[in-house]
Amino acid sequence: MYIRAKYVSKVDGAIYWAVWISCVHFLFRSLGPENLLLKGATLKNTKKIYGVAVYTGMETKMALNYQGKSQKRSAVEKSINAFLIVYLLILLTKATICTALKYLWQSTPHNDEPWYNQKTQKERDTWKVLKIFTDFLSFMVLFNFIIPVSMYVTVEMQKFLGSFFISWDKDFFDEEINEGALVNTSDLNEELGQVDYVFTDKTGTLTENCMEFIECCIDGHKYKGIIQETDGLSQTDGPLTYFDKADKNREELFLRALCLCHTVEIKTNDAVDGATESADLTYVCSSPDEIALVKGAQKYGFTFLGIQNGHMRLENQRKEIEEYELLHTLNFDSVRRRMSVIVKTPTGDILLFCKGADSAVFPRVQKDEIASTKIHVDQNAMDGYRTLCIAFKEIAPDEYERIDKQLIEAKMALQDREEKMDKVFDDIETNMNLIGATAVEDRLQDQAAETIEALHAAGLKVWVLTGDKMETAKSTCYACRLFQTSTELLELTTRTIEESASKEGRLCELLNEYQKKLNEYPKSSRSLKKTWTEHQEFGLIIDGSTLSLILNSAQDTVSNNYKSIFLQICMKCTAVLCCRMAPLQKAQIVKMVKNLKGSPITLSIGDGANDVSMILESHVGIGVKGKEGRQAARNSDYSVPKFKHLKKLLLAHGHLYYMRIAHLVQYFFYKNLCFILPQFLYQFFCGFSQQPLYDAAYLTMYNICFTSLPILAYSLLEQHINIDTLTSDPRLYMKISGNAMLQLGPFIYWTFLAAFEGTVFFFGTYFLFQTSSLEENAKVFGNWTFGTIVFTVLVFTVTLKLALDTRYWTWINHFVIWGSLAFYVFFSFFWGGIIWPFLKQQRMYFVFAHMLTSVSTWLAIVLLIFISLFPEILLIVLRNVNHGSARRNLSCKKASDSLSTRPSVRPLLLRTFSDESNIL
C-alpha cells in the first residue's frame, strides 16, 4: 500500500487534490477554508499531514483583496484640525494687516525712502504687485510660529508613551490566562473617554463561556442528575414510574446523538503541550458548548473515545465499545444555526443526527413532536440556560447514494460552492424526528453586573448583541442588571409580529405604538444623557428577523419611515437587547448608530470571530481574550482579559487620557499665540519692516527645548482626580463627555487668555523702555534686549501657568518644569557669552547678562509674570472657595438627613431594646 499525491488543477479558487491509492483509482478531495493552516499553526494530534502550498505570490489573499483600511480618527484629532484652521486664518489676517499697513505707512515719502536707507534703481523698477506679494510671504514666514507644528510630534509621543500605562496596569492582569491588557493602536486613547454607546456580545463577554451541562429533556421528559442502573437518568420528586421517563431506547439514542454530533477531538500528549496530568480524557474543540454536551453524555454513561480511521468510537452504559463510521459532517454556521453528521452504525444502518437552535430545528421536524419539548426549551431559556434541540432521521441506502453524490458535487463545484452546499444541507436536514433538547449553563462573569451599572451611571447606553434565544438573553440581561425590575420592555420580535397576517403591517403598528408611548414620557429640561442615568424606564428587545424586516423593507412611503422610527425608539430606551443576530447584523446595528445625528462615539466589545465585524465597524473596538480564540483580540484596538476591566479602562484611563490630551492641545495653541502676538505688535513700532523681535536661536528653541518637556510630562502623568475616585464615582465621566474640553467655549477662553498675556508681555516691556536709561551707568538698552525681556517673561509665564494647572506632582514634573526654566537661563548665558565663529552677526553677545544687571529689569520681569498669571490665580482661588463651601454644605446636609431619617429608615427588626428604651 502506498500513496502518491498529484496536484490536478485550480480554477476560480477551487482546488482539487487527487490521491492515487494502491495504483487502483483516484480519490478526489476538495480543499476548502477548513483545510487552510494559518500563520503560526502548530501540528498537533496527528503524526503527519499532506500539504500543498496555495495562493502564493500575487495570488495571496493580501495581494488580491488589499484595499485601504478605513482609518479611525478620534474626536480630538478633528478638533485639532478645526483649531488649526482658525489659527491659519489668524496667520493670514496678521500677514494681510501688516502688509496693508506697511504700504499705508510708506505712502509718506520720507517713510518710504529715509535719508539713511535709499532704494536702489532695481528696487524702484520692481513691479509693485510682486513687491506686495513678497512682503506678504515675508510676514507669513515671520508669524508662521503661531501654527504649532511641534504639537503633532508631542501628541504622537503622548499617545504612544501613554498607551503603556494600560499594558502596565496590574488591575488588568488575569491570573487564569496569565495575561494582561494589550494595546493594538495608540491613536484612540482619548476616545476611551468620549464613548456614548457600548455594544457588547453576551456569550464569552458578559458570561464566562465556561459551559456546564445542567439538564436535558427526552420526548418531553425532564432529566437531571446522575444515571442510575434501575431508573435510567430521569429525575422525579417521588417514586419513579415508567410513564415519568422516556423509553430506554430513546434515552440511549439521545445520548448517542450527543456523543456523535460534534467536532470534538481527544487531546493527546505531544511535544507542544507536554504530557497531560490527568488520566481522564481531555476534549478540545473550538466551541465550549460541544465539550459541555460530550461531558454531559459522559456523566450519564456514554463516553466519546475519539476518532480512529474515520470511525467514531464511544463507550456505552454497559462498558461496550461502539464504532460508527463517519460519512459526512454538515458543519455549523451562523446562518443555518445547526450542524449534522451522517454515520453508519455497526449494523449497517445510516443515521443523520442534527443539533441546533430551536428556531432552526423545529421547522424541520414532525409538528406533533414539538409541543412537549418546546415547554422545556422555553423554561430553560427563561432560567438563563443555553438550549439546543436534538433530532435524527434514518436514511435509506439508495437515498444515501443520492445524498453522497450531491454532497460530493457541491464540494467539488468550481463556482458558488457555498451556496450549493447550503442548498444540499437544507435538502438533507428535512423530515427529521425530534428526540429532545439540552440545557447548558454559561455563568455570568465576575463583576459584570457592577460594570454595567457603572457604565449606566456614567451616562453610557449599553446594547447587548447576541445570537442566543430571546429568553436566554433576557434572563442574562436581568442578571447583569441591564434591565431593572421597573424597566418596561418593548418587544419587536417574530413572536409579536407573527400575531398578524401582514408582518409589515403589524411592524408598523408596533413602531407607531411604541413611539407614541415614549413620546408621552415626560421630557426633562436637562440633556437626555443625564436623564437616563436617573430614570430607567424603557428597554427594547429586537431579534434578527425583525431587524432584517426594518432594514430591508419594501420601498414605499410607509416602510421608508421604519428605520427612522426605530432609531427614535432606540434613542429613548435605556437599554437595547438584540437577539438572534448574525455577525453582519451586529455590524449593521453599530453602523446605524454611528450615523445618528451628532455622530455619537461607539464602542464594541466581544470575544469571538463573530464579533470582529462590529469591532471593526465601531469607533473603538475592544477584544476580550476569551475561550473562542484570539480573532477578536487581534482585530481590536484594545484587548482585555475580562469584561469587568472595561470599567476602569473607560472611567479611569479614558477620562485621564482625554483630559491630558485636551489640555495639551489647548496649551500648545495658547503658548504659541503668546509667543507670536508680541512679534505682531512689534511691527507697529518698526515700520512693518519684518524685523524679528526674538533672536533666531530663541525662535528655534522655544517649542523644541524651552516649553516642550513640561507639557509632555503633564500629558503623561497628570491626575486631576484620583483614579480610585474616578472608578468609584462614574458620574465624573459625564463632565468630559461630548468633547467638553475642546468645545468653542474653552477654546475662546484659552485664546483670550493668550491674547491678554501676549499684550501684557509686549506693552509692559514697552512702558519699561520709556525710561531712556535702565542702567546706573546711563547705558541704553537696544531692541535685542527688548525682545529678550519679552521672551524671558514669556517662557516663565507659560511654564508657571502649566505649574498652576498641575494637580498631581511627581519628581518628573518638578524636574522638567524647574529644569526647563534653569536650562533657559543657562542657555541664554551660554549663547550670549561666547563669540561664535560661524555667525556673521554677534547680536546677542552679552545681551542677557547685561540685561540682568539692571534692577528695573528684574522688577519688571517679576511684575509682568505676576500680572499675566493674576487672572488664573484669581480664578483658582474663587474655584477652591466655591468648592469648599459646596462640600461643607453637602456634608452638613448629609449629616442632617441621616439624623432626621434614622428612626424611620432602620427596619423595625433591627432596632435593639436600648433603641426602644431611648425612644421611650
Side-chain angles (χ1 to χ4, degrees):
M1 170 75 67
Y2 65 90
I3 299 177
R4 185 176 67 195
K6 179 183 178 183
Y7 177 74
V8 179
S9 64
K10 180 183 71 174
V11 182
D12 281 348
I15 303 170
Y16 295 147
W17 194 260
V19 181
W20 181 263
I21 299 180
S22 299
C23 299
V24 178
H25 62 282
F26 276 105
L27 290 181
F28 288 91
R29 294 290 183 264
S30 64
L31 301 181
E34 66 276 4
N35 301 111
L36 289 179
L37 293 180
L38 302 181
K39 181 180 179 181
T42 305
L43 180 63
K44 297 171 62 176
N45 299 328
T46 185
K47 295 181 180 180
K48 60 182 178 179
I49 62 172
Y50 291 94
V52 55
V54 296
Y55 301 130
T56 60
M58 293 306 296
E59 293 181 343
T60 59
K61 183 177 180 181
M62 179 180 295
L64 292 176
N65 297 329
Y66 177 77
Q67 58 181 2
K69 185 179 179 181
S70 59
Q71 184 179 5
K72 295 183 178 181
R73 297 174 60 239
S74 66
V76 171
E77 292 183 19
K78 297 175 183 177
S79 297
I80 291 176
N81 294 338
F83 296 164
L84 198 61
I85 293 175
V86 173
Y87 270 66
L88 183 60
L89 293 176
I90 294 176
L91 172 62
L92 293 173
T93 303
K94 285 184 176 181
T96 303
I97 291 175
C98 289
T99 304
L101 292 179
K102 175 179 181 178
Y103 284 91
L104 179 63
W105 186 76
Q106 288 181 352
S107 59
T108 305
H110 68 274
N111 290 335
D112 186 24
E113 281 191 79
W115 60 269
Y116 56 85
N117 190 18
Q118 295 290 323
K119 292 182 180 180
T120 63
Q121 187 61 38
K122 183 178 180 180
E123 290 176 337
R124 294 190 183 98
D125 297 339
T126 303
W127 191 27
K128 192 170 185 180
V129 175
L130 181 60
K131 291 172 59 179
I132 294 175
F133 181 71
T134 304
D135 287 330
F136 177 79
L137 292 181
S138 300
F139 283 115
M140 289 285 290
V141 172
L142 187 64
F143 300 143
N144 78 90
F145 288 94
I146 195 174
I147 305 298
V149 178
S150 61
M151 177 187 66
Y152 287 91
V153 179
T154 307
V155 166
E156 292 302 320
M157 291 181 61
Q158 190 269 349
K159 289 183 176 183
F160 174 72
L161 297 176
S163 62
F164 286 102
F165 291 113
I166 295 178
S167 303
W168 292 339
D169 196 327
K170 294 181 179 179
D171 292 338
F172 292 157
F173 184 79
D174 185 72
E175 296 181 354
E176 182 180 350
I177 62 175
N178 199 30
E179 292 184 37
L182 179 65
V183 179
N184 295 326
T185 177
S186 59
D187 291 337
L188 303 173
N189 292 341
E190 64 276 8
E191 204 80 335
L192 294 171
Q194 297 297 300
V195 176
D196 297 312
Y197 286 83
V198 175
F199 300 93
T200 175
D201 179 39
K202 186 185 78 69
T203 305
T205 306
L206 294 178
T207 60
E208 292 182 353
N209 202 13
C210 183
M211 310 300 177
E212 180 182 357
F213 187 91
I214 300 298
E215 62 182 54
C216 63
C217 75
I218 304 175
D219 290 341
H221 299 278
K222 181 179 178 181
Y223 289 79
K224 189 174 184 179
I226 305 300
I227 182 172
Q228 299 177 8
E229 290 294 335
T230 57
D231 297 338
L233 53 137
S234 180
Q235 180 194 38
T236 60
D237 295 331
L240 186 65
T241 56
Y242 180 77
F243 58 80
D244 285 331
K245 66 173 186 176
D247 182 73
K248 183 67 174 178
N249 293 332
R250 298 285 288 183
E251 293 178 353
E252 293 183 354
L253 180 64
F254 178 83
L255 294 175
R256 286 189 180 93
L258 296 185
C259 285
L260 297 175
C261 188
H262 57 72
T263 57
V264 175
E265 296 182 2
I266 304 294
K267 181 180 179 181
T268 58
N269 299 337
D270 53 50
V272 178
D273 297 327
T276 56
E277 299 178 358
S278 175
D280 298 334
L281 294 173
T282 303
Y283 298 118
V284 292
C285 184
S286 60
S287 173
D289 295 80
E290 294 197 327
I291 296 178
L293 295 179
V294 173
K295 288 184 176 180
Q298 182 182 16
K299 184 169 62 172
Y300 295 136
F302 277 74
T303 304
F304 174 63
L305 301 179
I307 303 178
Q308 290 184 359
N309 300 323
H311 288 73
M312 304 183 75
R313 304 175 68 247
L314 61 90
E315 182 183 81
N316 61 26
Q317 297 173 354
R318 295 177 294 277
K319 305 300 180 182
E320 299 172 349
I321 304 300
E322 300 178 4
E323 290 192 2
Y324 295 82
E325 183 182 355
L326 180 60
L327 301 177
H328 289 284
T329 300
L330 314 185
N331 292 320
F332 173 88
D333 62 60
S334 58
V335 178
R336 292 173 59 241
R337 299 181 184 276
R338 61 187 181 276
M339 75 156 292
S340 301
V341 293
I342 301 176
V343 297
K344 178 184 286 189
T345 66
T347 60
D349 297 330
I350 299 177
L351 299 178
L352 178 140
F353 291 106
C354 177
K355 75 169 185 285
D358 57 341
S359 60
V361 174
F362 283 167
R364 300 177 176 274
V365 300
Q366 308 300 322
K367 301 299 181 183
D368 56 345
E369 299 174 343
I370 298 177
S372 58
T373 302
K374 189 175 186 300
I375 297 174
H376 293 277
V377 172
D378 293 341
Q379 182 59 46
N380 289 332
M382 293 179 65
D383 294 337
Y385 299 143
R386 296 166 60 87
T387 59
L388 286 175
C389 295
I390 311 296
F392 88 106
K393 81 171 183 177
E394 295 184 8
I395 302 177
D398 56 345
E399 183 183 358
Y400 172 72
E401 291 182 3
R402 179 182 59 83
I403 291 174
D404 182 61
K405 183 179 179 180
Q406 290 177 347
L407 286 172
I408 293 177
E409 289 179 354
K411 290 179 180 179
M412 305 297 286
L414 299 181
Q415 295 179 350
D416 303 328
R417 180 187 298 179
E418 289 77 11
E419 290 78 3
K420 293 179 179 180
M421 291 181 63
D422 289 341
K423 185 179 184 302
V424 175
F425 289 173
D426 287 340
D427 294 339
I428 296 173
E429 296 167 331
T430 55
N431 298 322
M432 297 185 294
N433 297 292
L434 185 63
I435 313 175
T438 61
V440 175
E441 182 183 20
D442 188 9
R443 292 188 298 271
L444 204 65
Q445 278 196 17
D446 182 36
Q447 299 183 27
E450 290 79 359
T451 301
I452 288 184
E453 276 192 332
L455 296 179
H456 272 298
L460 278 66
K461 281 193 172 183
V462 182
W463 291 27
V464 174
L465 313 180
T466 179
D468 284 354
K469 278 176 62 66
M470 183 190 73
E471 292 79 8
T472 305
K474 186 196 297 186
S475 177
T476 304
C477 289
Y478 275 112
C480 67
R481 302 173 196 168
L482 181 71
F483 293 152
Q484 303 293 335
T485 54
S486 59
T487 303
E488 181 178 349
L489 298 181
L490 310 176
E491 286 191 18
L492 286 174
T493 61
T494 306
R495 183 176 61 185
T496 57
I497 292 178
E498 287 183 347
E499 296 174 356
S500 176
S502 175
K503 291 185 178 181
E504 290 200 3
R506 178 59 179 165
L507 176 62
C508 184
E509 291 178 7
L510 287 175
L511 289 174
N512 292 328
E513 177 185 344
Y514 293 159
Q515 184 185 31
K516 183 178 180 182
K517 180 182 293 186
L518 291 171
N519 289 335
E520 292 175 355
Y521 183 69
K523 295 183 180 180
S524 173
S525 58
R526 296 171 296 173
S527 65
L528 180 63
K529 188 165 188 177
K530 294 183 178 180
T531 58
W532 74 55
T533 63
E534 300 174 7
H535 304 285
Q536 295 194 355
E537 293 294 335
F538 295 99
L540 178 66
I541 301 177
I542 185 171
D543 59 11
S545 59
T546 308
L547 180 65
S548 299
L549 195 61
I550 292 175
L551 299 180
N552 305 320
S553 56
Q555 299 298 319
D556 53 55
T557 56
V558 177
S559 57
N560 281 338
N561 296 326
Y562 285 178
K563 187 175 178 180
S564 60
I565 297 175
F566 171 70
L567 288 175
Q568 293 177 20
I569 294 173
C570 290
M571 292 179 64
K572 294 182 180 179
C573 288
T574 305
V576 178
L577 167 62
C578 303
C579 52
R580 292 299 191 199
M581 287 282 144
L584 182 59
Q585 289 180 316
K586 293 183 178 182
Q588 288 176 337
I589 287 284
V590 176
K591 185 176 182 180
M592 186 170 57
V593 175
K594 277 176 60 178
N595 295 330
L596 285 174
K597 184 179 180 181
S599 300
I601 306 300
T602 59
L603 179 147
S604 296
I605 179 170
D607 71 312
N610 59 338
D611 303 317
V612 171
S613 56
M614 74 171 183
I615 287 175
L616 295 177
E617 184 63 41
S618 60
H619 293 94
V620 183
I622 309 292
V624 177
K625 299 178 180 179
K627 301 179 181 179
E628 295 186 4
R630 289 291 187 268
Q631 293 93 332
R634 290 193 185 105
N635 288 276
S636 63
D637 303 309
Y638 305 88
S639 61
V640 292
K642 299 292 184 183
F643 179 77
K644 65 179 181 180
H645 298 140
L646 186 64
K647 176 181 177 181
K648 186 176 183 181
L649 185 65
L650 296 184
L651 303 186
H653 287 283
H655 187 115
L656 292 176
Y657 279 137
Y658 174 76
M659 183 280 305
R660 291 165 180 167
I661 199 169
H663 198 283
L664 181 150
V665 171
Q666 298 280 25
Y667 179 79
F668 256 95
F669 283 105
Y670 150 82
K671 72 184 184 69
N672 277 31
L673 184 58
C674 288
F675 180 43
I676 288 303
L677 185 59
Q679 177 77 76
F680 171 72
L681 297 175
Y682 184 63
Q683 298 306 305
F684 289 84
F685 297 88
C686 68
F688 304 99
S689 59
Q690 294 110 27
Q691 167 69 28
L693 177 63
Y694 313 115
D695 181 65
Y698 287 158
L699 288 171
T700 304
M701 301 285 284
Y702 176 72
N703 281 318
I704 297 178
C705 298
F706 299 151
T707 60
S708 59
L709 289 180
I711 185 59
L712 178 61
Y714 177 94
S715 63
L716 291 173
L717 304 173
E718 176 62 11
Q719 295 181 23
H720 66 301
I721 301 176
N722 186 269
I723 290 182
D724 294 333
T725 305
L726 290 173
T727 53
S728 60
D729 189 2
R731 293 172 298 177
L732 295 172
Y733 190 85
M734 288 190 289
K735 293 187 176 181
I736 62 167
S737 62
N739 204 12
M741 296 181 66
L742 292 177
Q743 293 295 329
L744 182 61
F747 177 70
I748 292 176
Y749 167 77
W750 282 89
T751 302
F752 273 99
L753 181 65
F756 167 76
E757 293 181 1
T759 305
V760 171
F761 299 158
F762 181 82
F763 285 105
T765 309
Y766 175 78
F767 288 127
L768 173 67
F769 269 66
Q770 296 303 307
T771 302
S772 58
S773 176
L774 295 178
E775 297 186 76
E776 296 178 356
N777 57 6
K779 289 184 178 181
V780 179
F781 284 165
N783 65 314
W784 294 115
T785 305
F786 180 88
T788 303
I789 295 176
V790 173
F791 191 80
T792 302
V793 176
L794 165 69
V795 172
F796 274 80
T797 300
V798 297
T799 305
L800 293 177
K801 167 69 169 68
L802 190 62
L804 289 176
D805 293 338
T806 303
R807 299 291 181 269
Y808 185 76
W809 284 91
T810 65
W811 68 268
I812 298 178
N813 296 92
H814 284 287
F815 177 78
V816 296
I817 288 179
W818 313 124
S820 295
L821 296 178
F823 175 74
Y824 164 69
V825 175
F826 169 78
F827 176 82
S828 298
F829 276 113
F830 180 73
W831 179 247
I834 299 177
I835 297 178
W836 301 97
F838 55 85
L839 292 179
K840 296 181 180 179
Q841 299 175 344
Q842 300 290 332
R843 56 193 180 192
M844 293 300 294
Y845 180 69
F846 229 62
V847 169
F848 189 80
H850 250 224
M851 179 189 75
L852 296 183
T853 59
S854 171
V855 178
S856 301
T857 303
W858 281 89
L859 179 62
I861 292 174
V862 174
L863 184 62
L864 291 179
I865 293 174
F866 176 76
I867 294 175
S868 301
L869 294 177
F870 180 74
E872 191 72 15
I873 297 173
L874 183 63
L875 189 62
I876 293 174
V877 172
L878 293 177
R879 188 184 298 122
N880 290 337
V881 170
N882 292 334
H883 287 181
S885 60
R887 195 178 297 111
R888 286 193 298 271
N889 294 336
L890 183 61
S891 60
C892 293
K893 182 179 180 181
K894 288 183 178 179
S896 62
D897 290 344
S898 61
L899 290 174
S900 62
T901 59
R902 178 169 295 182
S904 60
V905 168
R906 291 187 62 190
L908 183 61
L909 293 178
L910 295 182
R911 295 184 183 177
T912 62
F913 288 106
S914 59
D915 291 329
E916 297 293 342
S917 61
N918 289 337
I919 294 174
L920 293 175

